[in-house]
Amino acid sequence: MTSAELTSKRDSRGSVDQDAFADTPPHPLVALLRRLAGRAVAIITTLLGLLFLTFSMGRLLPADPVLAITGSEVSKAVYDRVYNELGLGQPIWMQFLTYVRKVATGDLGTSATTGQPILTDLMSIFPATIELTIIAMIIGILVGVPLGITAAVRRGTVLDHIARIVALAGHSIPIFWMGLMALFVFYAKLQLVGASGRVDVLYEGLVTPMTGFLLIDSAMQGQWDVFQSALNHIILPGAILGYYSVAYICRMSRSFMLEQLGQEYIVTARAKGLGRRKVVWRHAFRNIRVQLLTIMALTFGGLLEGAVLIETVFGWPGLGQYLTRGLQMNDMNVVMGAVLTIGAVFLTINIISDVLYRILDPRTR
């Protein structure tokens, strides 16, 4: 055998070995670490983008953070001293790094309106918003999903048209107008629900905060009068927010189910003599669970935005009213802290959704 043939055979064997090595899948632990590293990079990048957004908002809005603290009638010496204490004389990049460092340590600044740290205010008011949002989300899921799927199964019937009208009205009617009309009818005229706040003035301060959710805390402590009053106050704003979520979830559930009902496996299942209930809920519904999970995550985030208006209309002492008051008082620390909180909730929901994807759909693992 010539040297050229030996070289060619050696190169060919080396090429095969390299190809075989390249096709070898990585160790499961290595693959897991790669996924975790990629996820960590994505989360950190998103957080930095969110911090940059809130920081830019605090610098670009016309409100003067110094005047928000000192008031409009202040001497130039006091103004300059507060200006330097806030670090506004530093380069913009240094201000951003200082802001990131403070947020990482839980320092969101001090509210000029309440005189307390922003984090303290958020910890006391945010549970009220979450409680209201959860009630609205429960209503949206329990009503929207069955209504949308039933409308898809009975496409073209009266029930389908009713579901489409409900969804269209929920997207078309301004949520604050709906809240005002609901207050006029159910509180002013019929007196079926409570007015503003989370509970009647008579019951304020009777329940020791444990979870921050007044319904749960009052039930755990056996304060059933407070529980009844809290339920009486939350049912109307929760129903208004819930109707908004029903409209969106119903429309998307109907769309997803219509797409699945036209698939070949559904036709095959029907040809085998399976009943409608089994075909719809055992086969078609299983294939839209992941899509519905995405819709529910987006809906939950949207409810936080809608809560800003609803809390203002109903006087609900939550994040929305806190943010509105901060805007009215030009308290930029409050605005930045509230916006940052909402963004962090969105990010947390997306992370939880990704985890649930892998549980519900093995193809994404």
Side-chain angles (χ1 to χ4, degrees):
M1 184 177 293
T2 63
S3 59
E5 292 176 345
L6 288 173
T7 303
S8 176
K9 185 175 181 181
R10 188 183 303 111
D11 293 341
S12 176
R13 184 172 63 252
S15 177
V16 172
D17 293 341
Q18 292 176 0
D19 292 342
F21 180 76
D23 294 338
T24 302
H27 192 274
L29 181 59
V30 175
L32 177 62
L33 292 177
R34 287 178 180 176
R35 289 197 301 268
L36 292 177
R39 185 66 56 81
V41 170
I43 293 174
I44 293 174
T45 304
T46 305
L47 281 175
L48 288 176
L50 178 61
L51 291 172
F52 180 76
L53 176 64
T54 55
F55 174 80
S56 302
M57 179 181 61
R59 296 300 183 272
L60 296 178
L61 290 181
D64 192 332
V66 177
L67 295 181
I69 297 175
T70 62
S72 58
E73 299 179 358
V74 62
S75 64
K76 187 177 184 305
V78 175
Y79 182 93
D80 292 339
R81 179 172 60 82
V82 176
Y83 185 88
N84 293 325
E85 289 178 355
L86 294 177
L88 299 177
Q90 299 177 347
I92 194 68
W93 63 268
M94 187 175 297
Q95 295 182 39
F96 177 69
L97 291 179
T98 303
Y99 175 68
V100 173
R101 177 179 58 80
K102 288 184 177 181
V103 171
T105 58
D107 183 7
L108 301 179
T110 303
S111 171
T113 305
T114 64
Q116 296 183 351
I118 302 296
L119 186 60
T120 302
D121 288 342
L122 291 175
M123 291 179 64
S124 63
I125 64 173
F126 193 53
T129 298
I130 294 296
E131 185 177 33
L132 179 62
T133 305
I134 290 176
I135 293 295
M137 196 67 196
I138 292 175
I139 294 175
I141 294 174
L142 294 182
V143 178
V145 174
L147 183 60
I149 291 177
T150 304
V153 174
R154 302 181 181 276
R155 183 180 184 181
T157 62
V158 175
L159 181 60
D160 183 26
H161 294 308
I162 292 175
R164 295 169 68 179
I165 292 174
V166 168
L168 179 63
H171 285 288
S172 303
I173 301 176
I175 193 170
F176 68 90
W177 183 88
M178 192 184 306
L180 290 174
M181 292 300 100
L183 270 177
F184 176 75
V185 174
F186 295 101
Y187 171 68
K189 293 297 183 181
L190 302 178
Q191 297 183 354
L192 296 177
V193 297
S196 61
R198 300 180 71 183
V199 70
D200 291 332
V201 179
L202 179 64
Y203 299 114
E204 289 184 357
L206 295 182
V207 175
T208 303
M210 298 175 64
T211 64
F213 299 153
L214 189 55
L215 290 174
I216 296 178
D217 291 344
S218 58
M220 291 175 59
Q221 299 174 33
Q223 298 282 353
W224 297 110
D225 291 339
V226 180
F227 178 87
Q228 180 64 35
S229 178
L231 183 63
N232 198 35
H233 280 74
I234 199 174
I235 189 64
L236 190 57
I240 300 298
L241 270 180
Y243 178 59
Y244 172 81
S245 62
V246 165
Y248 185 57
I249 293 175
C250 173
R251 183 169 64 88
M252 300 309 297
S253 299
R254 179 182 181 275
S255 177
F256 294 152
M257 183 57 67
L258 283 176
E259 181 183 359
Q260 292 299 319
L261 292 178
Q263 299 295 322
E264 293 183 357
Y265 76 93
I266 295 295
V267 177
T268 303
R270 288 176 173 173
K272 290 181 178 181
L274 292 180
R276 175 184 293 180
R277 184 183 300 272
K278 290 184 178 180
V279 170
V280 172
W281 294 102
R282 184 174 298 179
H283 295 279
F285 181 73
R286 292 183 62 184
N287 288 329
I288 68 172
R289 288 182 304 175
V290 175
Q291 294 172 303
L292 285 179
L293 183 62
T294 304
I295 297 303
M296 292 174 187
L298 294 175
T299 302
F300 192 89
L303 291 178
L304 289 177
E305 298 175 359
V308 174
L309 296 175
I310 286 295
E311 289 182 5
T312 303
V313 172
F314 287 88
W316 191 262
L319 183 64
Q321 191 178 32
Y322 185 67
L323 174 59
T324 303
R325 189 183 302 113
L327 287 170
Q328 293 173 346
M329 301 298 295
N330 290 329
D331 194 343
M332 293 312 303
N333 284 339
V334 168
V335 176
M336 293 168 63
V339 173
L340 183 63
T341 301
I342 294 175
V345 171
F346 266 101
L347 180 60
T348 303
I349 291 173
N350 288 330
I351 295 174
I352 295 175
S353 299
D354 290 341
V355 174
L356 293 178
Y357 288 164
R358 297 182 178 276
I359 296 176
L360 296 177
D361 190 354
R363 295 172 298 180
T364 61
R365 298 173 186 171

